[in-house]
Amino acid sequence: MKRILITALLGIASTSHAYDGLSSELSHAMGGSLLAAGITYAYRDSPSRQWIGFAGSTAAIVLTESISIAQGHKASSQLLDMASHALGAAVGAWYSDKYWLMPVISRSSVGVVYTARF
């Protein structure tokens, strides 16, 4: 079932077109949020995992969009994509650090873990 869903989504994605509207920028923000959350999760044992997640996600989009600018694409559109992705990365890294992952215990701070069964 997963393979069918992935194949269908890739087929639909091939016909999509980008523009500078709200839905396009929201997709960049969501992508940035998910990428930052994933990187934050990968560095879950680091005390500065939130910054690592944000920096990794933002660096990835800056590199990608800079290549597009160098290839001759419209710079204002690429800068708008970078900004919306970075905003989403900030939200995703903050949310995953604050609410998704367990607190990091260090010499200067102690966290509390709350779990509930559904």
Side-chain angles (χ1 to χ4, degrees):
M1 183 67 183
K2 290 181 184 177
R3 291 182 183 168
I4 294 171
L5 180 63
I6 289 172
T7 305
L9 288 174
L10 287 175
I12 293 169
S14 66
T15 60
S16 63
H17 298 286
Y19 69 105
D20 291 339
L22 179 65
S23 63
S24 177
E25 300 315 316
L26 284 177
S27 69
H28 281 284
M30 288 302 296
S33 177
L34 291 174
L35 183 59
I39 294 171
T40 303
Y41 179 76
Y43 288 93
R44 62 187 169 270
D45 295 330
S46 174
S48 58
R49 61 189 177 196
Q50 179 180 7
W51 287 108
I52 295 170
F54 171 72
S57 179
T58 305
I61 194 64
V62 167
L63 180 65
T64 305
E65 297 298 334
S66 296
I67 292 170
S68 295
I69 291 171
Q71 291 175 344
H73 292 93
K74 189 175 171 185
S76 62
S77 296
Q78 307 307 320
L79 292 173
L80 184 60
D81 292 346
M82 283 185 219
S84 57
H85 184 99
L87 181 65
V91 171
W94 171 78
Y95 183 83
S96 63
D97 181 51
K98 185 93 171 156
Y99 296 109
W100 185 35
L101 298 171
M102 285 190 235
V104 176
I105 298 173
S106 67
R107 291 180 187 235
S108 62
S109 66
V110 176
V112 178
V113 178
Y114 172 76
T115 59
R117 290 188 171 193
F118 292 101

